[in-house]
């Protein structure tokens, strides 16, 4: 079974072959820290978290680096508005980032370099670019000369000539930078200090780095000249990633990344969810509304990672339903394992296991996580069905060992997608486990059949006292915790 990935660079799906056998070097362009993260950032972080988990699951050793852009006009504007410093704003939102991502179950990256901690690496790279004729100073700024890099545009498929024709969208003649550039498409590697802004000494005068150069420097510092996967949102293909390639490859003469992978956008009414547009919901707002973090993961994973998804209340509600189904399956072992006489920990689910094979086969096709989820849903539904049979009939249809294998498979595969149920909270709320509640409902059914209504009322009251409400209907009795 080979993993094949759609590579934005080649516009084809290709077999995944790493530079070094068995090892993956992966870099993801993280957030600019001037506000709380929204659902769009959640999608990007969840997708790359799951990609990393999956690569580890299939046996790779993964080194995963994610940056924080902690110097930027937007951060400076916020610091100014709050009479605070750029560093204080960045620190506050980095802290918030970790809180939000922990709630979503995102595993921490191996390292989180920050632009302001990489100034030496950035300056080294600019210096080399200048020596090789790809960069020129202009009045305290330094610009990258895009026409010197013959492959400029290879990632995005944009050619300078075409952009020239429609240049109005990109070029602002009023912009003071425009006056300094040799070509309107040149971009800043270094910006001269403005009064009151943070600045670092450099051979070009005091100033600060441009945005694109920080990633080229961080990749080189932490991972080397050529990495396996460079990831980010599709909104970064142009100009950010195009410029990263131009910077890094001009210096090293080697490909910056073998595979360029891009997640699709979370949209609202067809537009990118974005801090700048103001059409966003933050992760903490969504979770504080009571949306389960695992439902957010499911919302993200039910779409192929490259396709755009619309954020709607209905989509979140559907994901919540889906999560309840998977959660019931995940809790099966905790509820019924003992009763089924499982000897926990004695099985090795990975040999030979058709469900794991099916999961891997489908996900190997360009990280098809929605396809992988169908395997999880099948297992979860089957386990829930057996759970109900067990409660009502005292035994299961399938052999306990086989159910044990199915449950372990579900837990393992759900873990690859970062889906985990909180065992204590779910099975022991109000002192009664789901199985105990189901058993009491069954006793009450039997009392009612025998027309022993005093007993059936007693059971109802007993459950009510435990905070459990029963709802009788023609199809049987449903229940919920209050
Ligand atoms: N709506 C979205 N859907 C999916 N990914 C997104 C979305 N918005 C941002 N991202 C991704 O999140 C990561 C961090 O983004 P960054 O902090 O640069 O946000 P941004 O694009 O400036 O956001 P905004 O436009 O909201 O200010 C990038 O990889 C980016 O592509
Ligand atoms: Zn980047």
């Amino acid at each position: 079974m080979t993993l094949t990935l759609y590579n934005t660079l080649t516009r084809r799906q290709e077999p995944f072959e790493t530079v070094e056998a068995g090892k993956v070097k992966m870099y993801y362009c993280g957030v600019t820290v001037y506000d709380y993260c929204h659902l769009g950032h959640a999608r990007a972080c969840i997708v790359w978290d799951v990609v990393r988990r999956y690569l580890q699951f299939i046996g790779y050793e993964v080194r995963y680096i994610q940056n924080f852009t902690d110097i930027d006009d937007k951060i400076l504007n916020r610091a100014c508005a709050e009479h605070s410093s750029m560093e204080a704003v960045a620190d506050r939102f980095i802290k918030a980032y970790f809180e939000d991502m922990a709630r979503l179950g995102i595993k921490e990256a191996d390292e989180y370099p920050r632009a302001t901690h990489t100034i030496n690496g950035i300056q080294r790279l600019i210096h080399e670019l200048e020596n090789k004729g790809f960069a020129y100073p202009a009045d305290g700024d330094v610009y990258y000369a895009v026409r010197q890099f013959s492959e400029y545009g290879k990632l995005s498929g944009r050619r300078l000539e075409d952009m020239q024709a429609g240049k109005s969208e990109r070029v602002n003649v009023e912009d003071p930078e425009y006056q300094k550039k040799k070509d309107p498409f040149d971009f800043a590697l270094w910006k001269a200090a403005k009064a009151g802004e943070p600045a670092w000494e450099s051979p070009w005068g005091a100033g600060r780095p441009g945005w694109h150069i920080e990633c080229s420097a961080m990749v080189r510092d932490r991972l080397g000249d050529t990495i396996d996967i460079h990831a980010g949102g599709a909104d970064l293909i142009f100009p950010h990633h195009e410029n990263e390639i131009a910077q890094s490859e001009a210096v090293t003469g080697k490909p910056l990344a073998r595979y360029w992978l891009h997640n699709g956008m979370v949209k609202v009414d067809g537009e990118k969810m974005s801090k700048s547009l103001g059409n966003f919901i933050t992760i903490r707002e969504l979770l504080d509304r009571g949306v389960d973090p695992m439902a957010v993961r499911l919302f993200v994973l039910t779409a192929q990672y490259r396709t755009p998804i619309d954020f709607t209340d209905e989509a979140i509600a559907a994901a919540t339903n889906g999560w309840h189904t998977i959660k019931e399956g995940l809790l099966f072992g905790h509820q019924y394992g003992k009763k089924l006489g499982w000897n926990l920990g004695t099985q090795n689910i990975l040999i030979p296991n058709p469900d794991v094979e099916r999961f891997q086969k489908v996900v190997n096709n360009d990280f098809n996580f929605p396809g992988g989820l169908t395997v999880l849903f099948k297992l979860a539904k089957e386990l829930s069905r057996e759970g109900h049979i067990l409660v009502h009939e005292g035994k299961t249809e399938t052999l306990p060992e086989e159910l044990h294998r199915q449950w372990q498979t579900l837990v393992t595969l759900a873990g690859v997608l970062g889906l985990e149920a909180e065992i204590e909270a779910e099975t022991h709320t109000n002192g009664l486990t789901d199985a105990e509640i189901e058993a009491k409902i069954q006793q009450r059914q039997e009392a009612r059949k025998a027309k022993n209504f005093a007993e059936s009322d007693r059971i109802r009251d007993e459950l009510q006292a435990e905070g459990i409400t029963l709802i009788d209907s023609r199809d049987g009795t449903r229940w919920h915790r209050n």
Side-chain angles (χ1 to χ4, degrees), residues 28-34 38-45 48 69 74 211 231-236 241 263-267 271-277 279-280:
Y28 157 57
C29 290
V31 289
T32 305
V33 279
Y34 72 99
H38 56 62
L39 187 59
H41 304 124
R43 181 183 195 189
C45 292
W48 306 118
T69 299
K74 293 177 209 162
W211 172 33
D235 56 329
L236 299 186
H241 289 165
N263 65 271
M265 294 294 102
V266 173
K267 298 197 162 189
E271 264 195 299
K272 177 196 164 186
M273 180 179 281
S274 138
K275 287 178 277 194
S276 343
L277 293 174
N279 60 351
F280 63 91

Side-chain angles (χ1 to χ4, degrees), residues 27-30 67 211-212 214-216 230-231 236 240-241 244:
Y27 181 89
Y28 157 57
C29 290
N67 75 313
W211 172 33
H212 315 298
E214 70 176 79
C215 287
S216 284
H230 195 311
L236 299 186
H240 184 55
H241 289 165
E244 273 189 51

Side-chain angles (χ1 to χ4, degrees), residues 87 112 180 211 340 356 369 392 396-397 409 454 458 460:
E87 200 177 12
Y112 293 93
K180 302 189 201 171
W211 172 33
L340 291 170
V356 173
F369 301 124
H392 293 282
T396 52
E397 267 178 25
T409 306
R458 190 194 63 72
R460 170 191 282 275

Side-chain angles (χ1 to χ4, degrees), residues 146-196:
V146 288
R147 294 202 183 266
Q148 296 302 313
F149 187 64
S150 60
E151 294 179 35
Y152 193 79
K154 69 177 175 179
L155 180 72
S156 59
R158 297 191 191 206
R159 295 185 322 155
L160 282 169
E161 300 72 57
D162 299 341
M163 290 197 287
Q164 196 76 25
K167 72 177 176 183
S168 52
E169 59 165 301
R170 289 250 306 137
V171 172
N172 175 5
V173 283
E174 306 285 305
D175 182 353
E177 282 193 0
Y178 177 77
Q179 318 292 338
K180 302 189 201 171
K181 293 178 187 177
K182 289 188 185 159
D183 185 289
F185 297 106
D186 291 350
F187 57 89
L189 299 167
W190 189 259
K191 298 180 185 192
K194 290 193 192 122

Side-chain angles (χ1 to χ4, degrees), residues 371-390:
L373 275 172
T374 59
V375 178
L376 269 70
F377 276 115
K378 184 188 126 288
L379 286 164
K381 285 181 183 161
E382 193 48 31
L383 288 166
S384 306
R385 195 181 70 82
E386 292 279 1
H388 288 282
I389 298 174
L390 180 64

